[in-house]
Amino acid sequence: QLQPVESGGGLVQPGGSLRLSCATSGFNLRYYAIGWFRQAPGKEREGVSCISSGGSTTVYADSVKGRFTISRDNAENTVSLQMKGLKPDDTAVYYCAAEWSPHPDFCTLVGDKGHYPYWGQGTQVTVSS
């Protein structure tokens, strides 16, 4: 069973930066599309960004466009989410999710309806002064 593991969360001041990483062991992530999702207290889970298995396609939620950058390093078997210009509204638990993808150019921010069967435990990101 593929088990993504997130790291890099923490407390940061507004305007600051954090870099989240998603890794796993025993599975080669190069064959998986990866999505980052987040859930704030009292709110529904939302898709933040995703990257296709081939790395050529990236998608961002409107709320993070221009501030977040997703990337993958297949040699290191990791996917990262660089977050800059963080706002208090970015405070949430961030989850990495994986989906086997034979299509190297496809990823989606839809976290259900059969997508992303593999989820990490999440990492807390808190943006506060």
Side-chain angles (χ1 to χ4, degrees), residues 23-102:
T24 188
S25 61
F27 291 84
N28 195 329
L29 284 181
R30 71 172 62 236
Y31 303 115
Y32 293 81
I34 302 296
W36 282 97
F37 297 80
R38 68 186 181 186
Q39 188 165 21
K43 295 186 178 180
E44 292 188 355
R45 186 180 65 196
E46 64 171 334
V48 175
S49 181
C50 68
I51 187 167
S52 61
S53 60
S56 59
T57 298
T58 57
V59 180
Y60 297 93
D62 288 343
S63 57
V64 306
K65 278 181 183 176
R67 300 188 298 121
F68 290 12
T69 303
I70 191 170
S71 61
R72 66 189 306 149
D73 185 337
N74 288 338
E76 295 292 327
N77 209 32
T78 60
V79 173
S80 298
L81 184 69
Q82 178 68 52
M83 306 186 295
K84 298 180 179 180
L86 284 162
K87 307 173 182 179
D89 284 349
D90 295 318
T91 295
V93 177
Y94 283 71
Y95 298 91
C96 171
E99 175 180 42
W100 169 264
S101 180

